[in-house]
Amino acid sequence: MSQRQVLQVFEQYQRARTQFAQAVAELASRPQNIETLQNAGVISLLRPLLLDVVPTVQQTAALALGRLANYNDDLAEAVVKGDILPQLVCSLSEQNRFYKKAAAFVLRAVAKHSPQLAQAIVQCGALEMLVICLEDFDPGVKEAASWALEYIARHNSELSQAVVDAGAVPLLVLCIQEPEIALKRIAASTLSDISKHSPELAQTVVDAGAIAHLAQMILNPDAKLKRQVLSALSQIAKHSVDLAELVVEAEIFPVVLTCLKDSDEYVKKNGATLIREIAKHTPELSQLIVNAGGVAAVIDCIGSCRGTVRLPGIMMLGYVAAHSENLSMAVIVSKGIPPLCACLLEEQEDHIKAAAAWALGQVGRHTPAHARAVAVANVLPTLLAMYVDTRSSEDLQMKTKKALKNILQKCTYLPALEPLLHDAPPNIMKHIVGQFSKVLPHDSKARRLFVTTGGLKKVQEIKAEPGSLLQEYISTINNCYPEEIVRYYSPGYSEMLLERVENYHPVL
């Protein structure tokens, strides 16, 4: 046998390995093939190919494994049990950029499914290698490494801390300064996922100088990058007053308000979320947002969009209004009540309606003037209808009940309260009747109206427990009128009169 024939055998074997790896990678990209591949024992067949002498075979085998592991947690588990991770980690430092990207893809695909699988990656020493990849000259390798680190960090604070301890944060901050948009996006997203778990982790990101670089990118024309930048700043600002103040000091106002007019829904939503996370902490931070025109901008944003994009804006208005009478008045003056009412009526999701109800309760709870501003928008019957509707979620019922109580306890605008007398359940009725008992003794015009609109008659029909607060309120109202008027509107009085007519013997 000639030398050529001998070598041909090796060439055929190499071609076959290459074809096999490529075919499996191609098949693994289609979900309908996954089960068949799994049953054919594909993972144990790919494993030796990761150590193949031919780089193309190695890379393609890694790509195939990544696609399989990405599909579901069973396959990701099989990759871990097949002892494949140590091989990948070993090769990460030595191989070319194509292999590094493929290996990082496998690690990301395994890590995404659960904290346990992400922990398996940490235990096999992958973090150190991924961090080394963040310093690679090739932006694609940095991007792949950053993505894998994000999928590890997103699960919980322990895994996030492991990523921090491996030294990833300063390098990620360098990555957001690179010219490649895709790398900026994924690095910002990873910083966001590291920051979200605890104030300490967020502080680590701040200490690496991330805020200034993120703040500069709020005006970047790339919508996906803006989403990640706003998300990262929100995750930092949410934890504490100090962190929120550091974000504000990066001069994000009024720049961030332009995001609320963005054509991208997620940029709008993340922009409103960032403003909400700052507003919630203190009256001073809320005042700063008001001064920058933030309340008016958020109100416009709520009016111009639908669905969950509205949610952070609704909550932001609630937080601002909750802090003080003046801040609540700023929401009223900026015409914040009509869009909040619109959210109650237009939205299908109960949790969005519940947020709008909560926000309206915060606006109306301070003084009679605040409560009147909410009441004249005719929102009280809507809140009551949602509270008594059995189809409303438990959370929506709770929020509407609380909002009604908050507003009713301050509301002295009787025309808005009167329609509720006919529909309210006893626990709400108590607050409505209570407000009438406060106003009627001092207002003769209101007393007259209360009779002509049927309010007094309705109060006589209420069955209150003797000695209860409700009974006390009813007595106070009744004491505002002559006894015969009260008797005239009491249930059964007309029958009593007719009986007297029947039993009356005329004097002839």
Side-chain angles (χ1 to χ4, degrees):
M1 208 180 216
S2 69
Q3 187 183 352
R4 170 120 186 82
Q5 286 170 311
V6 173
L7 290 173
Q8 243 177 342
V9 173
F10 285 93
E11 279 167 23
Q12 280 175 326
Y13 181 46
Q14 182 181 319
R15 251 197 320 275
R17 296 198 313 277
T18 310
Q19 282 168 349
F20 175 75
Q22 285 170 342
V24 171
E26 178 59 31
L27 290 166
S29 64
R30 296 190 194 90
Q32 65 268 31
N33 300 329
I34 300 288
E35 202 177 325
T36 315
L37 288 169
Q38 193 175 0
N39 295 340
V42 70
I43 287 177
S44 54
L45 292 171
L46 286 170
R47 184 177 173 235
L49 299 182
L50 288 172
L51 297 173
D52 202 277
V53 289
V54 182
T56 317
V57 175
Q58 288 186 332
Q59 291 148 26
T60 318
L63 177 64
L65 279 167
R67 285 177 178 169
L68 290 162
N70 198 38
Y71 182 70
N72 66 23
D73 50 359
D74 282 350
L75 282 158
E77 192 84 50
V79 169
V80 174
K81 286 186 177 148
D83 222 18
I84 285 165
L85 297 180
Q87 281 176 232
L88 283 170
V89 173
C90 238
S91 324
L92 256 179
S93 55
E94 303 151 12
Q95 296 289 349
N96 64 24
R97 62 202 171 107
F98 300 108
Y99 184 84
K100 285 176 182 172
K101 281 192 263 190
F105 171 53
V106 180
L107 295 173
R108 170 185 120 205
V110 172
K112 83 169 192 180
H113 296 289
S114 70
Q116 293 74 24
L117 286 164
Q119 186 61 46
I121 287 173
V122 174
Q123 280 165 349
C124 73
L127 290 181
E128 291 69 19
M129 289 305 157
L130 287 168
V131 169
I132 290 168
C133 288
L134 286 179
E135 295 185 271
D136 199 275
F137 71 93
D138 183 271
V141 173
K142 288 180 185 171
E143 192 188 325
S146 178
W147 213 334
L149 289 166
E150 181 196 356
Y151 275 44
I152 295 165
R154 62 164 51 170
H155 291 292
N156 57 42
S157 53
E158 289 79 16
L159 286 162
S160 203
Q161 188 64 54
V163 171
V164 169
D165 293 343
V169 173
L171 295 171
L172 288 166
V173 173
L174 287 174
C175 287
I176 58 174
Q177 299 167 63
E178 294 281 353
E180 291 80 16
I181 289 288
L183 178 54
K184 282 178 184 286
R185 282 181 200 154
I186 195 63
S189 183
T190 308
L191 289 170
S192 175
D193 272 323
I194 291 170
S195 304
K196 74 181 180 186
H197 300 290
S198 72
E200 294 74 25
L201 285 161
Q203 190 65 54
T204 310
V205 172
V206 172
D207 293 343
I211 291 178
H213 298 295
L214 289 167
Q216 282 167 4
M217 292 190 283
I218 289 173
L219 288 178
N220 191 291
D222 182 77
K224 286 181 181 169
L225 176 58
K226 274 194 285 196
R227 290 179 194 174
Q228 304 302 351
V229 163
L230 293 165
S231 167
L233 289 168
S234 305
Q235 299 293 10
I236 293 167
K238 76 177 185 183
H239 294 291
S240 70
V241 179
D242 292 345
L243 287 166
E245 284 173 349
L246 287 172
V247 172
V248 170
E249 282 162 19
E251 296 180 2
I252 62 162
F253 289 104
V255 176
V256 73
L257 302 182
T258 59
C259 297
L260 300 177
K261 291 188 171 72
D262 202 275
S263 56
D264 185 279
E265 298 279 82
Y266 289 100
V267 171
K268 274 187 187 176
K269 187 178 179 181
N270 291 2
T273 303
L274 172 54
I275 299 167
R276 177 194 76 194
E277 296 299 5
I278 293 167
K280 74 179 185 186
H281 289 294
T282 65
E284 292 74 23
L285 283 167
S286 277
Q287 189 63 56
L288 185 144
I289 292 167
V290 171
N291 297 348
V295 166
V298 167
I299 289 166
D300 286 347
C301 177
I302 293 171
S304 69
C305 54
R306 294 283 176 277
T308 53
V309 182
R310 282 174 153 177
L311 192 58
I314 294 168
M315 291 179 71
M316 177 266 182
L317 293 178
Y319 282 131
V320 171
H323 283 306
S324 72
E325 286 178 23
N326 289 344
L327 286 165
S328 181
M329 198 46 83
V331 174
I332 294 168
V333 171
S334 303
K335 300 189 171 55
I337 292 172
L340 287 173
C341 296
C343 293
L344 268 185
L345 296 166
E346 295 166 3
E347 289 300 332
Q348 302 301 313
E349 300 281 337
D350 276 9
H351 69 281
I352 303 175
K353 291 181 189 175
W358 170 78
L360 286 163
Q362 298 307 315
V363 174
R365 75 184 177 88
H366 296 283
T367 69
H370 291 80
R372 180 176 178 144
V374 177
V376 294
N378 200 30
V379 76
L380 296 176
T382 309
L383 288 171
L384 182 61
M386 286 179 183
Y387 171 56
V388 297
D389 190 343
T390 50
R391 292 166 303 176
S392 295
S393 68
E394 199 179 324
D395 180 53
L396 179 56
Q397 288 182 324
M398 198 176 74
K399 295 280 198 311
T400 45
K401 178 187 174 185
K402 189 87 169 66
L404 276 167
K405 280 173 69 175
N406 281 344
I407 299 161
L408 290 172
Q409 282 168 348
K410 293 292 178 190
C411 187
T412 55
Y413 181 63
L414 301 187
L417 296 181
E418 203 152 305
L420 305 185
L421 276 173
H422 302 279
D423 305 310
N427 57 343
I428 300 294
M429 186 69 82
K430 176 176 68 183
H431 301 291
I432 301 165
V433 176
Q435 291 310 102
F436 280 106
S437 75
K438 286 178 197 168
V439 178
L440 292 174
H442 314 291
D443 189 336
S444 57
K445 202 169 163 193
R447 286 200 293 275
R448 184 189 168 88
L449 256 175
F450 195 57
V451 175
T452 56
T453 56
L456 185 65
K457 181 174 186 293
K458 180 65 197 164
V459 165
Q460 304 317 310
E461 291 165 9
I462 296 169
K463 291 179 172 54
E465 294 281 319
S468 66
L469 202 54
L470 180 56
Q471 183 62 60
E472 239 175 81
Y473 293 148
I474 293 170
S475 302
T476 307
I477 292 169
N478 289 346
N479 290 339
C480 296
Y481 296 94
E483 197 183 325
E484 62 270 26
I485 296 286
V486 174
R487 222 179 14 233
Y488 177 75
Y489 284 109
S490 298
Y493 184 68
S494 50
E495 283 84 356
M496 201 173 79
L497 281 180
L498 286 170
E499 208 175 295
R500 280 177 66 186
V501 167
E502 278 174 24
N503 296 337
Y504 185 70
H505 300 293
V507 179
L508 298 170

